Amino acid sequence: MPKVQYDSHQLDDLVLQMMETELGGEQVYRAALACAVNPDLKKEWEEYLQETLTHQNVVRSLCDALGLDPEQQSHTRQVVRHIGESLVKAMELARQGGNPQAAQLVACECVVHAETKDHANWELLGKVAQAATGDVGQALQAAHQAVEKDEDHHLYHTKGWCRELAIEALGMPAVLPPPEEVKNVESAIGASRAEQQRESML
């Protein structure tokens, strides 16, 4: 089977977007922690913040391997930064509303938005890693393996928190910490199974 070709310029752009996503992710988590009320959720986000700082270093190393300046700007990177800043502003606005529980839910939604982009970035990088060869291929594979599990955890667990906090806000019985957390899911299939089992955990 012939090796799949990929656009190296587009890969560079993806990595620059990834750098901005991880930098913005740090600010998103700092803002989210200021909104966190539930102690289990706060602990979770504190861990995610530390992992995000580690991911920044992974992407910087990847930039070095690709001969990229991690500070280099691009139009798509500016868009990523704008979205990240907008999420932080949304959380600040929610805190001004004077309802801590509502602000916490908004923060959860903002983290899900940020982590959806972050997860997609790393998933795409994994696709290129399968196609790339030589030193570049090894660098991509090493970066992907170092971060992929963290990204699955961040996205699926926070989606669970978001769902259960919204259910609680509606005055219905919620599973807190969410099933995704209790069952420590690490994949989309695992997250789906955990959600299906929530009724038995009430």
Side-chain angles (χ1 to χ4, degrees):
M1 183 175 173
K3 205 70 176 170
V4 176
Q5 296 297 311
Y6 64 91
D7 186 324
S8 61
H9 294 294
Q10 196 63 34
L11 171 61
D12 289 350
D13 188 71
L14 172 62
V15 173
L16 292 175
Q17 286 189 51
M18 292 174 76
M19 189 73 254
E20 194 61 47
T21 303
E22 298 297 349
L23 292 170
E26 175 187 346
Q27 302 311 314
V28 166
Y29 276 117
R30 293 192 189 283
L33 280 164
C35 298
V37 179
N38 183 294
D40 290 324
L41 179 58
K42 187 168 186 176
K43 182 183 175 186
E44 188 88 350
W45 281 347
E46 284 170 347
E47 291 174 5
Y48 294 179
L49 172 58
Q50 292 308 310
E51 288 169 351
T52 298
L53 296 175
T54 300
H55 299 170
Q56 290 176 4
N57 291 330
V58 172
V59 180
R60 284 193 185 95
S61 296
L62 188 55
C63 286
D64 289 341
L66 296 174
L68 279 174
D69 176 1
E71 303 300 322
Q72 183 180 328
Q73 299 301 309
S74 69
H75 183 70
T76 50
R77 180 171 184 166
Q78 290 172 0
V79 172
V80 172
R81 183 184 303 119
H82 176 77
I83 293 170
E85 290 171 349
S86 298
L87 293 174
V88 170
K89 287 178 182 175
M91 286 183 273
E92 290 170 350
L93 183 62
R95 286 182 69 201
Q96 292 168 15
N99 183 334
Q101 300 293 339
Q104 177 178 247
L105 181 53
V106 168
C108 234
E109 292 170 352
C110 289
V111 170
V112 169
H113 281 300
E115 287 295 353
T116 298
K117 167 63 174 169
D118 206 5
H119 188 270
N121 286 345
W122 286 99
E123 200 169 40
L124 284 169
L125 192 81
K127 299 292 185 191
V128 184
Q130 292 173 2
T133 57
D135 291 343
V136 170
Q138 288 180 353
L140 295 177
Q141 288 167 19
H144 185 254
Q145 288 171 6
V147 174
E148 181 190 24
K149 188 173 282 190
D150 287 349
E151 292 301 338
D152 288 340
H153 192 109
H154 292 186
L155 178 61
Y156 301 127
H157 286 227
T158 303
K159 284 178 79 172
W161 276 103
C162 204
R163 181 191 64 245
E164 296 301 325
L165 288 172
I167 289 170
E168 182 182 53
L170 287 164
M172 299 188 294
V175 181
L176 293 168
E180 291 85 349
E181 185 76 10
V182 175
K183 300 195 176 287
N184 198 30
V185 303
E186 303 290 357
S187 67
I189 293 172
S192 177
R193 287 175 180 157
E195 184 177 356
Q196 289 167 12
Q197 292 169 5
R198 72 174 298 279
E199 299 295 334
S200 66
M201 299 172 72
L202 290 169

